[in-house]
Amino acid sequence: GQQLNQSPQSMFIQEGEDVSMNCTSSSIFNTWLWYKQDPGEGPVLLIALYKAGELTSNGRLTAQFGITRKDSFLNISASIPSDVGIYFCAGFSSGSARQLTFGSGTQLTVLP
Amino acid sequence: GAGVSQSPSNKVTEKGKDVELRCDPISGHTALYWYRQSLGQGLEFLIYFQGNSAPDKSGLPSDRFSAERTGGSVSTLTIQRTQQEDSAVYLCASSSLAGGHEQYFGPGTRLTVT
């Protein structure tokens, strides 16, 4: 099946720093989504990307759909304590009957 | 508006017992998904319902797992003869045809099999 390689697996950063994480795939995706999951909660959709090369922002978050359609990155600027959580990328390809393929997640810890 | 809701939020059961987990999708969403998330892991796809079409059951790990969706809305995931390895958080998500591939998740049910 399709797989997404998400990195890094975990990150420890100082409050105020910027952070970047990415997902890559060996196959083409038509849609990239980024989710955040807080402890004990379900994932919450942060950003959706539908076009290769698309760059979309949501507050301090910026995500891009790679030109090759095989990768995406998420940047968080000026991190704050509430950014702590697990960030998942997810991709959809036309051959997967509306199923999303999820990355393994990036655990973000923000140190005061 | 109301999001995806799931019940119970926590379930502790003895090995060998059957359990039922419930999901109420966002009103008007035609697609419903079940995922399983083991501790510290990513999301494992289980089953997908779309309207009145036959469900995609390709992710169900064994025949002890089954799911129904009544009236195109509420869904129940049933695990028969639970095993300790079934312990995980079970997440439900829904999406609409007009919403592209954006899935909206419920808070999950944490299942513990003792």
Side-chain angles (χ1 to χ4, degrees), chain A residues 21-61:
Chain A
M21 58 194 78
N22 70 85
C23 276
T24 60
S25 171
S26 58
S27 56
I28 288 174
F29 283 87
N30 299 323
T31 299
W32 284 95
L33 306 173
W34 284 92
Y35 287 86
K36 183 194 177 194
Q37 186 175 29
D38 291 328
E41 302 291 331
V44 173
L45 182 64
L46 299 174
I47 292 179
L49 302 160
Y50 289 97
K51 185 187 298 185
E54 180 181 357
L55 185 70
T56 297
S57 293
N58 178 7
R60 294 178 296 104
L61 278 62

Side-chain angles (χ1 to χ4, degrees), chain A residues 31 35 37 50 92 98-99, chain B residues 37 48 56 100-103:
Chain A
T31 299
Y35 287 86
Q37 186 175 29
Y50 289 97
F92 170 80
R98 291 187 65 82
Q99 294 174 24
Chain B
Q37 185 177 32
Y48 156 56
D56 178 348
H101 307 293
E102 300 170 16
Q103 296 182 17

Side-chain angles (χ1 to χ4, degrees), chain A residues 6 21 34-37 46 61 74 76 82-89 103-108:
Chain A
Q6 185 170 352
M21 58 194 78
W34 284 92
Y35 287 86
K36 183 194 177 194
Q37 186 175 29
L46 299 174
L61 278 62
L74 174 70
I76 305 173
S82 62
D83 290 335
V84 167
I86 304 176
Y87 292 80
F88 290 100
C89 63
S104 54
T106 295
Q107 173 72 62
L108 178 64

Side-chain angles (χ1 to χ4, degrees), chain B residues 6-28:
Chain B
Q6 292 186 244
S7 61
S9 55
N10 282 283
K11 176 72 176 178
V12 179
T13 190
E14 291 180 353
K15 177 182 173 181
K17 295 286 181 67
D18 299 350
V19 295
E20 286 188 352
L21 312 179
R22 177 187 168 105
C23 172
D24 282 88
I26 292 173
S27 178

